[in-house]
Amino acid sequence: MEKLNLEKLIEDLGFECLSGKALLDRIPQSAYVSDLLSDVMGKAQADMMWVTSQVHRNIVAVASLKELSAIVIVNERPVEKDLLEQAENEDVVLLSSNLPAFETAGKLYNYLKPQPPKGG
């Protein structure tokens, strides 16, 4: 089965792209859910999506450092213009979900989990 990129994921799951529209060809491998920056720095892997309710500048730095495919901000949290500018400057995709973290993570899990081969 072909891997789906962020553009298709956004369309299918109803997320909004806040920054990094030129980077939506990235293919997320999995997702990590945490609001602790140190936790994400220690456990998240490259190409994961990060689900968080944090909306401060440090999330962009962590996502860039860990080479994450995108950050998904949950709970309809407002995002300041300076955060969006920083994300664009550091090639970080910021997405928004109007759902809580639990529901967002569930949608991502079902969307990203490996599918069994068909017909075999």
Side-chain angles (χ1 to χ4, degrees), residues 4 9 16 23 26 36 50 63 65 70 73 75 78 86 90 107 110:
L4 301 174
L9 181 145
E16 179 183 357
L23 306 168
R26 291 179 177 173
L36 293 173
W50 174 15
L65 175 74
I73 298 170
N75 295 328
Q86 180 186 2
E90 295 193 34
K107 284 181 129 183
N110 286 322

Side-chain angles (χ1 to χ4, degrees), residues 10 14-24 52 54-55 59-60 70-74 76-89 92-98:
I10 290 165
F15 295 162
E16 179 183 357
C17 183
L18 304 176
S19 74
K21 288 180 173 61
L23 306 168
L24 298 182
T52 185
Q54 298 290 338
V55 289
I59 65 171
V60 170
I71 300 172
V72 183
I73 298 170
V74 296
E76 300 179 285
R77 300 283 308 251
V79 178
E80 299 292 328
K81 182 180 176 185
D82 65 328
L83 180 60
L84 297 175
E85 290 171 357
Q86 180 186 2
E88 287 290 344
N89 290 337
V92 172
V93 177
L94 284 179
L95 306 177
S96 177
S97 170
N98 61 353

Side-chain angles (χ1 to χ4, degrees), residues 30 32 40 42-49 66-69:
S30 185
Y32 197 80
V40 176
K43 300 288 186 179
Q45 302 295 316
D47 299 321
M48 283 184 162
M49 299 181 74
K66 296 299 290 188
E67 299 177 352
L68 302 178
S69 61

